[in-house]
Amino acid sequence: MAKFFNGIISEPMISYNDDQSIDFDTTAQIFSNLAHRGASGLFVNGFGDETYSLSLTERLDIVKCAQKAVEGTDCLVVAVVFATCLRDALWLIREYKKLDVKAMCISLPPFYQMTPHAAYQYLSAQLKETEVLTIVFNCREMDQFASPELLGRLAHEFPNCQGYKDATRDIIHLNKCLDELDDLKEDFSIISGSDATLFTHMAMGASASVSFMSVPFLDQMKDIYDYFKAGEYEKAWQAQRIVLKLRTFMQQFPDSSAYIYAMKYTAKINVKGTRHPDDMLYIPEEELRKFDRMVEEFGILDR
């Protein structure tokens, strides 16, 4: 079996109405734009900062919105199971199965540390609940990691455990994971979980990237991936450098504010709001003009 997860899997944000209800029309445009521009997948309900502000039933509605938006394309909807307890994680998995999702992603819960055996119980219970191909996700911001040994155990015990999304930015950790997965490497997908490390991850055998940067800058993330796959490593590295410069600038500002603003450059979609206070969307006008000049300098507006 070949690797199931490939290419740039975009991690889309959600648009909101003035009353902070979900703006499904604009959200569907975001999903459709990515699917029709060449994203290999949508990592839906995977942006942790935002997902934990959604109810469990709202997450189902967003998955249904994504499934409809990608119709007629090869874009895969990956339904993400972020939950604060095992009960909610298993409920989400069962409901996702009813929606006939083709792939899921699971992770350990945030906020508290689990013992090694509890971590195994938490993740293995989710894998037992579904036969759908599943990614295990180590999220750096949630500060709770499945160890290389646990990842290897899950991948060997559960045939549907077919991918690892590594957002640790820790090459030593990733090397240890690769050692645990060595006999499965022909089928198992290593997935880059940080836009800053796609080039490095691909050099270590990654077949895909889950990318928030790709929501406004899909072509730039695809450049890294496509050049590397073509063996044009210098071009891939130069493409990574552009992404790093954009990312460094954008991460000066709160939450996803710069990513929302950047949607005007390529997607031409007016994404509205978050469920955070308004100041989390504020970027000074002079900084917006710097952003405009940077995007123009990199030739992004000409593509």
Side-chain angles (χ1 to χ4, degrees), residues 117-223:
H117 187 59
Y120 169 77
Q121 290 176 317
Y122 191 88
L123 294 174
S124 63
Q126 294 178 68
L127 287 164
K128 288 175 185 174
E129 193 66 32
T130 180
E131 295 180 355
V132 169
L133 297 188
T134 300
I135 299 165
V136 175
F137 176 18
N138 268 344
C139 181
R140 180 173 179 266
E141 286 72 18
M142 293 180 193
D143 197 29
Q144 169 118 260
F145 300 144
S147 67
E149 294 77 16
L150 175 54
L151 179 63
R153 181 179 177 183
L154 294 171
H156 284 91
E157 288 185 14
F158 298 96
N160 59 322
C161 183
Q162 284 290 317
Y164 168 49
K165 177 179 182 274
D166 174 38
T168 66
R169 305 177 210 166
D170 182 342
I171 290 177
I172 296 173
H173 162 85
L174 181 56
N175 267 298
K176 291 179 179 177
C177 290
L178 293 172
D179 284 344
E180 295 291 335
L181 298 163
D182 192 55
D183 60 320
L184 301 175
K185 62 186 177 184
E186 297 303 318
D187 302 328
F188 193 92
S189 300
I190 298 296
I191 301 163
S192 174
S194 170
D195 297 309
T197 61
L198 176 54
F199 181 93
T200 303
H201 269 94
M202 293 191 73
M204 297 176 72
S207 63
S209 168
V210 169
S211 168
F212 188 42
M213 178 68 79
S214 70
V215 185
F217 296 118
L218 178 60
D219 289 343
Q220 286 62 48
M221 290 302 298
K222 285 177 87 293
D223 281 348

Side-chain angles (χ1 to χ4, degrees), residues 60 90-101:
L60 302 182
L90 295 177
W91 185 88
L92 271 173
I93 289 171
R94 289 191 288 267
E95 294 301 312
Y96 283 159
K97 284 166 61 178
K98 293 176 185 176
L99 298 180
D100 194 30
V101 300

